[in-house]
Amino acid sequence: MEDTFKIGGRELTSRLFLGTGKFSSNRLIPEAVRASGAQVVTVALRRIDLEYEEENIAAYVPKDCILMPNTSGARNAQEAVRIARLARAAGCGNWVKIEVITDNRYLLPDNYETIKATEILAAEGFVVLPYMSPDLMVAKKLAEAGAAAVMPLGAPIGSNRGLRTKELVRILIDEIPLPIIVDAGLGRPSEAAEAMEMGAAAVLVNTAIATAGDPVAMARAFGLAVKAGRLAYLAGPGETQEYARASSPLTGFLRD
Amino acid sequence: MSFYEVRKEYAGFDFKGFFAGVTVDRVKRALSKSRLTEWDYLALLSPAAEECLEEMARKAHRLTVQHFGRVILLYTPLYLANYCVNRCVYCGFKANNRLERKKLTPAEVEREAGIIAATGLKHILILTGESRRHSPVSYIRECVKILKKYFTSISIEIYPLEESEYAELIAAGVDGLTIYQEVYDEEVYAELHPAGPKRNYRYRLEAPERACRAGMRTVNVGALLGLHDWRTEAFFTGLHASYLQDTFPDVEVSISPPRMRPQLGGFQPRVKVNDKDLVQYMLAFRLYMPRGGITISTRERAELRDHLVRLGATKMSAGSCTAVGGRSGHESTGQFEISDGRSVAEMARMLYDQGYQPVYKDWQMI
Ligand code: SF4
């Protein structure tokens, strides 16, 4: 049986989501999508230019992908809601990745405003995927508010620092019944594999692919790593031994 | 505390002494940090740092690609009016220069907007001289109303306003403010601005703060290079940007390093700022504020701008014209001479050739 998962009623086979913001040419986007196998592609509404077909970033997302507009640039819940509505009105479907950032030095998400936006948009029928700082209480509130998945950051956006929030993300995976998608910070395929081995439902990658020397090859590498990590998770990795097995067991004398 | 007060705390600081004490080791230490203090930034602006320019360039390039990607936002300036009551000695539009004064009528704004929009640009920067009589806030608001039909992001580069006036323009559709302090040294400022409301150093310096409080999304500050020692001017510009980022974390902050250009009136730069100096400034700023924007205008010549793409620039103007109504054929004098006369399409081609994506739209009114 194929290993699939569901978000917003859609059955997905690829567990790699692709971001589009930093490519040196929009023309690389379809190639990177194909090489990575991604089915969900996120584009900032602020970049979507419906009037200029040749330079319209959204036009480069293959038609069989789910286009997930994001609310980059939103400074509060209200702005995120307005951006999401504009995106839907512009024909970008009803998926939305909520990004509310009130800090331009580190680009860390504002969890409080994100919860508010999620509540409003989920009630309006959007499939809401909020980007957040990993925090169990916040994730619970997002789930209650109607989020379709939760997207904790691995490290600050664009930092390529890897899965720095591992312990916190692990708790979300254990406790939250929604798909947990690690978003931001993953710099190498091995880090994406690590997130998948832990049980993340998917990962979202932008900077590491878009700014690689060969973005298309890197997209393929991430696609393979995500598959490998997922396979390892399903295979159930052997428990790591915390202590070396003692050569003469302490309980060896117990015989029944 | 306003930036005026922050700036004051450095009054009497011995910059010469500081620079004399900077060693290459000190520069390298600053280079290896991920979060630089203002003193690290100042060390990178020092003469000693010139030896480390290539290392600085590599790190600056890496940081820029990491945070912004291989993309450059394109925009163009639109001069609405050249009436001015000030006498900034370095400006072609100063009140005592004899030139034809003009302001665009609504029909002319419409015409210029149409010409610019046809190039694909979605970001526009509108400019006026300082004349509350000829180009009052209400006039600017009317122009914004027209421009909204053509552009998704409108920035202003006009005389400093009150907070409520900024709010009024934001409500009308403005999302960005560019305002150069011109010169951060208060005494030199007084000499170069002999008459008019612009003499008020503090009112101008605090304008970005008022705009941020009013809800402006992006602010761009800068010193006009050539008026005073560039190293200290670059330092205060960076400090100003950093102050704004700390005080208004949700605002996108950027700087411009404009160099003086020939203008009507023929004022000569007081100090020379060569290409190497400009590059050192850009690199030092990038390392100090890895996510800060750097805007490069057509004041710089094409060949240099091509190189600056990889040295930290994030925004560039294209297809510029500094004369009022210049695009639709009205013959008049510009504020200064531009050096890079390439069209938007030519700029886009150059960027693609360098492996960069020209971005025409990076915001839309919401
Ligand atoms: S710089 Fe601005 S304020 Fe000064 S004279 Fe020129 S147009 Fe007027």
Side-chain angles (χ1 to χ4, degrees):
Chain A
M1 202 183 73
E2 215 182 346
D3 167 45
T4 62
F5 72 122
K6 261 191 171 175
I7 290 182
R10 293 284 292 263
E11 188 132 353
L12 301 171
T13 51
S14 169
R15 292 172 180 272
L16 175 58
F17 291 15
L18 194 68
T20 51
K22 293 175 175 170
F23 283 95
S24 61
S25 166
N26 289 340
R27 285 148 194 86
L28 284 167
I29 294 170
E31 286 181 62
V33 170
R34 238 168 285 133
S36 66
Q39 292 172 302
V40 179
V41 179
T42 181
V43 177
L45 177 76
R46 64 195 283 177
R47 284 274 170 89
I48 295 177
D49 188 351
L50 296 171
E51 289 167 22
Y52 196 173
E53 198 53 25
E54 205 190 314
E55 293 294 349
N56 180 14
I57 191 164
Y60 290 87
V61 176
K63 295 284 169 279
D64 52 350
C65 285
I66 296 170
L67 178 69
M68 175 167 68
N70 67 59
T71 64
S72 161
R75 299 176 295 182
N76 51 49
Q78 224 188 0
E79 290 189 350
V81 167
R82 286 216 293 272
I83 293 172
R85 288 178 186 153
L86 283 169
R88 183 154 75 177
C92 297
N94 68 339
W95 285 46
V96 63
K97 176 186 158 190
I98 304 211
E99 234 181 270
V100 181
I101 289 177
T102 42
D103 148 59
N104 272 308
R105 249 201 226 276
Y106 296 97
L107 298 185
L108 293 173
D110 184 323
N111 281 347
Y112 175 70
E113 294 291 321
T114 301
I115 296 169
K116 287 205 284 185
T118 300
E119 211 158 19
I120 298 168
L121 292 169
E124 292 180 11
F126 281 90
V127 175
V128 184
L129 290 88
Y131 168 59
M132 49 97 73
S133 279
D135 176 286
L136 179 59
M137 295 312 137
V138 173
K140 284 187 174 172
K141 286 188 180 139
L142 288 169
E144 266 168 43
V150 175
M151 306 183 86
L153 58 88
I157 296 185
S159 69
N160 284 355
R161 290 174 64 81
L163 196 51
R164 295 297 169 124
T165 54
K166 193 170 178 176
E167 295 311 321
L168 299 168
V169 171
R170 192 196 302 279
I171 294 171
L172 301 192
I173 292 172
D174 290 345
E175 302 299 327
I176 303 294
L178 296 174
I180 302 297
I181 302 171
V182 176
D183 182 0
L186 301 179
R188 295 160 190 278
S190 54
E191 293 156 0
E194 187 185 4
M196 297 307 298
E197 282 169 24
M198 252 169 65
V203 300
L204 191 150
V205 180
N206 178 14
T207 310
I209 291 175
T211 68
D214 181 344
V216 177
M218 190 58 92
R220 181 168 300 121
F222 266 97
L224 292 170
V226 165
K227 278 198 184 122
R230 179 65 188 173
L231 260 178
Y233 171 74
L234 293 175
E239 274 185 43
T240 41
Q241 298 296 330
E242 293 199 12
Y243 307 98
R245 208 175 287 271
S247 47
S248 45
L250 298 173
T251 52
F253 67 96
L254 297 172
R255 303 239 147 75
D256 44 31
Chain B
M1 189 155 67
S2 89
F3 186 67
Y4 181 76
E5 284 146 350
V6 173
R7 161 80 187 73
K8 256 202 158 142
E9 290 184 350
Y10 296 84
F13 179 79
D14 178 15
F15 284 97
K16 270 210 179 88
F18 180 92
F19 286 141
V22 177
T23 59
V24 170
D25 256 15
R26 172 74 186 85
V27 173
K28 295 218 160 150
R29 232 180 310 132
L31 250 167
S32 68
K33 292 168 81 170
S34 61
R35 178 76 152 96
L36 280 67
T37 65
E38 78 251 50
W39 304 117
D40 294 321
Y41 175 48
L42 191 58
L44 294 180
L45 290 167
S46 71
E50 285 171 23
E51 258 182 64
C52 306
L53 222 51
E54 181 58 26
E55 258 178 284
M56 286 168 67
R58 286 181 190 280
K59 186 168 179 194
H61 175 64
R62 186 167 52 74
L63 285 172
T64 313
V65 170
Q66 194 180 325
H67 293 310
F68 294 88
R70 287 191 178 83
V71 302
I72 296 280
L73 175 69
L74 297 177
Y75 74 97
T76 206
L78 171 62
Y79 281 74
L80 296 176
N82 61 7
Y83 290 93
C84 194
V85 296
N86 290 313
R87 296 191 175 195
C88 316
V89 300
Y90 46 81
C91 176
F93 287 168
K94 63 185 167 202
N96 46 334
N97 267 355
R98 294 177 62 100
L99 71 145
E100 192 199 339
R101 301 285 168 173
K102 180 173 170 54
K103 81 172 176 183
L104 297 182
T105 64
E108 288 169 325
V109 172
E110 196 99 38
R111 199 153 0 132
E112 293 262 325
I115 294 170
I116 296 168
T119 65
L121 293 182
K122 289 288 187 297
H123 287 238
I124 194 155
L125 172 68
I126 53 177
L127 300 93
T128 65
E130 176 153 7
S131 172
R132 282 184 174 264
R133 190 155 70 85
H134 291 98
S135 37
V137 175
S138 57
Y139 167 72
I140 293 159
R141 202 185 50 219
E142 287 314 302
C143 293
V144 168
K145 220 194 234 165
I146 298 168
L147 294 167
K148 257 163 91 167
K149 294 187 285 183
Y150 297 87
F151 303 98
T152 64
S153 171
I154 301 172
S155 296
I156 49 171
E157 185 172 346
I158 61 170
Y159 48 90
L161 302 181
E162 291 294 329
E163 188 179 325
S164 60
E165 294 171 317
Y166 282 125
E168 187 185 334
L169 290 181
I170 291 166
V174 167
D175 57 77
L177 169 75
T178 289
I179 188 162
Y180 300 150
Q181 185 60 23
E182 321 288 14
V183 56
Y184 282 88
D185 185 291
E186 203 166 351
E187 278 171 36
V188 177
Y189 185 95
E191 281 169 43
L192 298 176
H193 301 96
K198 197 167 168 179
R199 282 188 63 73
N200 191 338
Y201 174 90
R202 180 170 186 163
Y203 188 69
R204 188 172 187 86
L205 192 65
E206 292 176 351
E209 295 161 44
R210 293 194 295 276
C212 290
R213 272 197 296 275
M216 199 65 85
R217 305 191 65 90
T218 69
V219 292
N220 189 93
V221 295
L224 184 55
L225 302 176
L227 300 179
H228 189 52
D229 171 55
W230 73 267
R231 296 181 201 274
T232 52
E233 288 294 307
F235 175 68
F236 285 117
T237 306
L239 213 59
H240 197 178
S242 181
Y243 164 87
L244 291 168
Q245 193 66 90
D246 285 339
T247 315
F248 307 98
D250 63 351
V251 172
E252 288 177 22
V253 178
S254 52
I255 62 143
S256 296
R259 287 195 288 185
M260 273 204 61
R261 292 287 305 148
Q263 33 28 59
L264 178 65
F267 174 81
Q268 290 302 311
R270 290 183 162 196
V271 294
K272 218 172 132 44
V273 183
N274 61 35
D275 292 355
K276 194 173 159 196
D277 301 334
L278 178 71
V279 167
Q280 185 181 354
Y281 172 16
M282 285 175 65
L283 300 176
F285 177 74
R286 169 58 64 239
L287 301 185
Y288 179 49
M289 283 188 67
R291 290 183 203 275
I294 300 181
T295 309
I296 302 293
S297 75
T298 54
R299 287 169 181 268
E300 302 302 340
R301 55 191 202 284
E303 181 217 348
L304 177 66
R305 291 221 302 166
D306 294 1
H307 288 293
L308 299 183
V309 168
R310 295 160 62 85
L311 295 173
T314 59
K315 278 186 251 183
M316 286 187 160
S317 51
S320 299
C321 169
T322 68
V324 179
R327 287 187 181 84
S328 43
H330 185 89
E331 299 243 336
S332 71
T333 313
Q335 189 186 22
F336 56 86
E337 292 174 19
I338 62 173
S339 317
D340 182 351
R342 284 179 291 185
S343 68
V344 176
E346 286 168 324
M347 277 296 289
R349 214 167 312 129
M350 178 277 284
L351 291 170
Y352 275 128
D353 286 348
Q354 292 214 42
Y356 274 72
Q357 167 77 39
V359 168
Y360 294 80
K361 173 171 179 270
D362 191 35
W363 186 245
Q364 84 176 53
M365 288 155 211
I366 55 171

